[in-house]
Amino acid sequence: MNKQTKAVFLDISGVLYDGEHIIPGAPEAIIGLRKMQLPLRFVTNTASQSSDQILLKLRTLGFQLSHSELITAPSAAKQYIIKKGLRPFCLIHPNLKCEFKDIDQSQA
């Protein structure tokens, strides 16, 4: 990496793990990036698991990350909804209902 690198975004599925198997070298790569003190964000477009479920899977596989380092498509959508003050009718996977329980869906 060069001095212009300010942060690193890592896709999760297929980059850190494949199914239930860790991609060889992924844990070591994370350790190396952390030693460089670069901000890391772990991203996924998975829309059928909550952030807590994804975080638990990553931690179970041995990856150490905080909730604030995880960015999912549903969490990005929720942030957008809040920022814009929207009241959508959320058609979401049942696993995501807990993440959207505080979104006002009345008079969508």
Side-chain angles (χ1 to χ4, degrees):
M1 291 225 195
N2 61 42
K3 293 180 182 183
Q4 294 178 340
T5 302
K6 304 287 186 215
V8 177
F9 288 75
L10 298 154
D11 190 16
I12 295 171
S13 181
V15 175
L16 299 183
Y17 66 83
D18 184 15
E20 300 301 319
H21 304 285
I22 296 171
I23 301 291
E28 296 81 8
I30 302 299
I31 290 167
L33 290 167
R34 292 219 186 267
K35 285 181 181 176
M36 297 172 72
Q37 298 182 337
L38 290 168
L40 301 181
R41 295 299 179 265
F42 300 83
V43 298
T44 182
N45 63 356
T46 299
S48 61
Q49 294 178 314
S50 70
S51 295
D52 288 340
Q53 289 172 311
I54 294 168
L55 194 59
L56 177 62
K57 179 174 185 166
L58 289 168
R59 288 179 176 166
T60 300
L61 289 171
F63 295 101
Q64 298 301 314
L65 66 146
S66 67
H67 201 280
S68 64
E69 291 178 305
L70 178 63
I71 301 172
T72 67
S75 67
K78 181 180 177 182
Q79 288 177 7
Y80 181 83
I81 290 166
I82 292 168
K83 181 178 180 181
K84 296 292 184 178
L86 303 175
R87 289 197 313 207
F89 179 73
C90 298
L91 296 172
I92 54 178
H93 191 279
N95 288 340
L96 300 175
K97 290 188 181 207
C98 61
E99 287 194 42
F100 286 82
K101 67 182 176 201
D102 57 339
I103 297 293
D104 183 1
Q105 296 184 52
S106 66
Q107 300 178 4

